[in-house]
Amino acid sequence: MIYASIAVEEALLVIKIVFLVLLYLFIWRIVRAAARDVGLPQESFVLAPGSIPGLGEQHAVEAGRLVVLKSPALDEGEEWELDSSALTLGRGAQNDVQLEQDEYASSQHAKVEPRRDGVWLEDIGSTNGTYLNGIRLKHPKRLTPGDVVRVGETELRYEA
């Protein structure tokens, strides 16, 4: 029995030593691979001007305008020219189009944003939703001339 317990202890000692050797080999390979990667030249992520076709070209954005069709807060026929900056709509004072008397509009309701590929409408966390041609927006949509945007009880038509 004494010989059996000594054999078990020796076997466990050998297993421990083998485990430590394998662990050190694993760590050594990781360090060697990392050191090799650090020594390699890095590619630049900075692109030269004009290296992407169409990026340097400046296109004038034909943004259009929003015209009020009906609203408890705005006068019918009132309009906003869209330029290169986004136009925000809502009851809050920080908005470009303030809808203070529109009880169904949120303080920050929607955003109309001219981009290179057109004018986009986005709901920015409103409670009652933003509607484009009677359909509630789930994600930003590009506007086409004649589209009707509803924010609360306010309806606006997009014209190019």
Side-chain angles (χ1 to χ4, degrees):
M1 266 212 220
I2 295 176
Y3 296 116
S5 69
I6 292 174
V8 169
E9 288 180 19
E10 289 175 355
L12 289 175
L13 180 63
V14 169
I15 291 172
K16 287 179 186 178
I17 292 172
V18 169
F19 176 74
L20 285 174
V21 168
L22 290 173
L23 181 65
Y24 281 115
L25 277 172
F26 178 71
I27 292 171
W28 177 72
R29 290 201 52 158
I30 290 174
V31 170
R32 190 178 76 173
R36 189 180 319 135
D37 288 344
V38 169
L40 293 176
Q42 298 293 315
E43 292 183 25
S44 175
F45 290 107
V46 178
L47 300 173
S51 63
I52 299 176
L55 186 62
E57 302 168 7
Q58 295 295 324
H59 296 288
V61 176
E62 302 256 348
R65 61 188 174 169
L66 288 176
V67 180
V68 177
L69 296 176
K70 70 175 193 171
S71 173
L74 305 170
D75 296 328
E76 189 176 320
E78 195 172 348
E79 58 185 55
W80 285 268
E81 289 291 328
L82 300 171
D83 54 17
S84 59
S85 62
L87 188 73
T88 56
L89 300 100
R91 282 195 324 199
Q94 74 277 13
N95 292 296
D96 301 310
V97 179
Q98 294 179 10
L99 306 170
E100 293 173 6
Q101 288 84 24
D102 192 336
E103 296 178 11
Y104 294 97
S106 297
S107 61
Q108 293 182 333
H109 200 103
K111 176 172 67 169
V112 178
E113 184 177 18
R115 300 179 189 169
R116 300 178 116 206
D117 60 342
V119 177
W120 290 76
L121 174 66
E122 179 180 1
D123 184 282
I124 51 177
S126 69
T127 304
N128 295 320
T130 302
Y131 292 82
L132 177 60
N133 299 324
I135 300 171
R136 187 172 183 160
L137 280 182
K138 291 187 170 65
H139 47 81
K141 291 270 190 176
R142 191 166 77 189
L143 296 176
T144 57
D147 281 346
V148 176
V149 175
R150 192 176 89 217
V151 173
E153 291 182 318
T154 301
E155 289 188 0
L156 306 151
R157 182 178 56 242
Y158 171 68
E159 297 176 353

